[in-house]
Amino acid sequence: MEQTRIVVLGGGYSGMMAARRLAHNLRGQQVQITLVNAAPHFVQRVRLHQLAAEQKPEAFSLRDALQPHGIRFMQAKVTRIDPQVQALTVQTAAGSQTLAYDYLIYALGSYVDMSVIPGLREHALSLATEATAAQLRDQLPTFAGRGGRLVICGGGLTGIEAATEFAEAYPGLKVTLLTRDTFGAQLSRKGRDYTRQVFKRLGIEIRDQLAIQAITADAIEYEGGSMAYDACLWAGAFTVPPLARESGLKVNTLGQIITDDRLRSVTDSHIYAIGDSADISAAIGTPIRMACATALPMGVHVANELADRLKGREHRPYEFMYYFRCISLGRKAGLVQMVDPNDAPKESILTGRVGAAFKEMICKYTTWQVRHPRWTFLPRRPASERTARETAVVGVR
Ligand SMILES: Cc1cc2nc3c(=O)[nH]c(=O)nc-3n(C[C@H](O)[C@H](O)[C@H](O)COP(=O)(O)OP(=O)(O)OC[C@H]3O[C@@H](n4cnc5c(N)ncnc54)[C@H](O)[C@@H]3O)c2cc1C
């Protein structure tokens, strides 16, 4: 009997979850699951600011995590998808190869676009990948040693986590956070006040509502002024690889694959998209932010959906709701910001060491889930609310 070939692209949170859970759901069936990833190990992206602060987040071998479960691992960079003939081109250490698939799960994640402002690529660093975080780790001790200034551009959660982590790890460093928006706009009033308190304790300067225009070799230029820096960290919004767009799949303005409510590409039902590279928001009526918190449940769902499909069973549509956002503020404090099902902040927070411990537990849980994909929690809406929302979605369609 012929085997069904399933290829998972990307070995981050969503891709690993999908591959491992699919292998479990389809054990004993005629399937061959292959996971392709550029790096040989799993990167805990949610801890990259910790890596840059000289901590050592666990990074386990993908081959060791996959092979015992019958999943083939291929270390390669995917360079092309050809949906018409259901094949991929990958670049391995040994050269270019073609890989055929029956079903493809696209989980290539995101990165930071360093072309949005002149001088960014040349003069700034980012925390988007392990390589760029390691660059920052190698440079910060030198700047801290001579009382240098680190300017973090971007007041989102990555910018906030990075500023507090570095100010705590390197007391000699002068840390400034520049942001275009109002500081802490995504938090509740209490959450914002608490974060400001921690910034004050750590001596971090906040300059908000500044539109950055360019970065030169020694200054950050913004509307109405400029600021000198020794190191500049760009913590701007994520973008996604151009591969999906280049392959002719329907994507949104950012390049995320637009999916139906089963996480299937609306262009090609043999291709699923999950994690940061997917946009399911229109299909289910819930805004989906790029996060580990959303990537893992998508990995779970796609594994259940595809397994049911191969067994000839109908699977339910994807559902998601938010509960909280966890933000580390260095190692000694954290903020757990409660949110409503659509991710809007509520006036209820956890702070201090309790917040830090909660955040650490969540980070450990994400890696644990990837290794134990059978024991997962799917954040579904309560049945009463689900009925109302589903009615609304049907109305939109
Ligand atoms: C510093 C930092 C802190 C964060 N903190 C949080 C947090 O507290 N909570 C939260 O929910 N989210 C957080 N995030 C966001 C979270 O890390 C991402 O949303 C999440 O990793 C997305 O998962 P994913 O599976 O879509 O992609 P990823 O985890 O990024 O995995 C994608 C994989 O695809 C591989 N890949 C990419 N292109 C190719 C290619 N062409 N060929 C082969 N392989 C390729 C990559 O190497 C990677 O292994 C944080 C991110 C950063 C950078």
Side-chain angles (χ1 to χ4, degrees):
M1 223 167 99
E2 283 222 339
Q3 286 192 318
T4 303
R5 297 156 303 178
I6 302 167
V7 179
V8 181
L9 299 184
Y13 294 97
S14 61
M16 274 297 282
M17 172 56 83
R20 284 287 314 273
R21 197 169 164 110
L22 201 51
H24 171 74
N25 289 350
L26 292 172
R27 62 197 182 285
Q29 310 271 321
Q30 287 295 317
V31 290
Q32 182 195 62
I33 304 171
T34 304
L35 185 141
V36 182
N37 194 64
H41 56 271
F42 180 78
V43 174
Q44 290 193 58
R45 269 186 86 193
V46 302
R47 291 193 193 267
L48 283 182
H49 55 300
Q50 293 179 242
L51 182 131
E54 293 188 298
Q55 296 159 37
K56 292 188 172 57
E58 182 200 3
F60 57 84
S61 150
L62 289 175
R63 193 180 304 279
D64 291 351
L66 295 170
Q67 219 155 260
H69 303 278
I71 304 163
R72 189 161 75 109
F73 173 62
M74 185 180 239
Q75 187 185 348
K77 189 170 164 36
V78 190
T79 54
R80 188 185 154 92
I81 305 171
D82 214 335
Q84 277 78 28
V85 292
Q86 300 193 183
L88 312 162
T89 309
V90 298
Q91 201 63 41
T92 68
S96 178
Q97 281 185 32
T98 303
L99 208 59
Y101 65 83
D102 298 303
Y103 295 95
L104 186 69
I105 301 178
Y106 187 103
L108 292 181
S110 60
Y111 64 99
V112 173
D113 188 353
M114 299 298 270
S115 67
V116 289
I117 285 188
L120 207 52
R121 202 184 297 286
E122 296 80 359
H123 306 299
L125 292 168
S126 89
L127 280 176
T129 66
E130 194 182 32
T132 57
Q135 270 179 294
L136 198 61
R137 176 194 60 202
D138 297 343
Q139 295 182 13
L140 284 181
T142 315
F143 296 127
R146 54 176 149 93
R149 177 186 260 180
L150 166 69
V151 180
I152 296 172
C153 304
L157 301 189
T158 305
I160 290 176
E161 290 197 327
T164 45
E165 197 74 45
F166 300 143
E168 187 181 275
Y170 301 108
L173 205 59
K174 293 187 192 77
V175 181
T176 302
L177 185 134
L178 290 188
T179 176
R180 189 179 47 190
D181 304 317
T182 305
F183 178 76
Q186 64 281 67
L187 304 172
S188 65
R189 188 187 46 77
K190 278 189 193 163
R192 205 162 38 242
D193 290 350
Y194 177 70
T195 309
R196 272 191 183 275
Q197 266 177 42
V198 177
F199 268 56
K200 198 168 169 202
R201 169 170 64 75
L202 292 169
I204 306 166
E205 183 191 9
I206 301 168
R207 305 279 302 273
D208 64 357
Q209 294 175 331
L210 286 184
I212 300 168
Q213 291 169 326
I215 319 264
T216 65
D218 43 26
I220 293 158
E221 295 177 352
Y222 47 84
E223 237 172 63
S226 69
M227 178 181 286
Y229 71 89
D230 296 291
C232 175
L233 170 65
W234 184 256
F238 294 154
T239 188
V240 298
L243 198 62
R245 190 194 303 274
E246 290 164 4
S247 309
L249 299 173
K250 186 165 181 193
V251 294
N252 63 16
T253 47
L254 209 58
Q256 292 171 300
I257 297 177
I258 300 177
T259 74
D260 65 10
D261 59 9
R262 263 64 177 180
L263 288 160
R264 293 176 301 210
S265 155
V266 291
T267 324
D268 184 331
S269 70
H270 287 90
I271 299 180
Y272 288 87
I274 52 176
D276 286 359
S277 286
D279 179 6
I280 192 177
S281 50
I284 63 168
T286 305
I288 301 289
R289 80 177 126 95
M290 290 193 200
C292 177
T294 53
L296 281 168
M298 285 195 229
V300 174
H301 186 87
V302 88
N304 295 347
E305 145 71 28
L306 183 51
D308 273 357
R309 184 171 170 184
L310 293 178
K311 290 174 187 170
R313 296 197 297 237
E314 176 77 3
H315 194 66
R316 62 181 168 73
Y318 184 65
E319 284 180 48
F320 185 79
M321 72 175 282
Y322 295 91
Y323 291 92
F324 48 73
R325 290 178 171 213
C326 293
I327 305 145
S328 68
L329 300 169
R331 293 300 93 202
K332 297 184 188 114
L335 171 67
V336 182
Q337 170 70 68
M338 301 303 169
V339 297
D340 75 9
N342 285 319
D343 210 20
K346 299 201 273 197
E347 275 308 335
S348 151
I349 55 172
L350 276 180
T351 59
R353 289 199 183 265
V354 176
F358 193 91
K359 165 81 186 189
E360 179 56 27
M361 183 190 75
I362 291 289
C363 287
K364 283 203 172 109
Y365 179 60
T366 58
T367 317
W368 186 88
Q369 271 197 73
V370 163
R371 286 167 167 259
H372 302 88
R374 285 171 65 191
W375 309 103
T376 50
F377 164 69
L378 269 184
R380 297 182 69 195
R381 289 177 184 249
S384 53
E385 206 183 311
R386 212 180 303 148
T387 316
R389 187 182 60 85
E390 277 167 6
T391 313
V393 171
V394 172
V396 170
R397 280 185 192 152

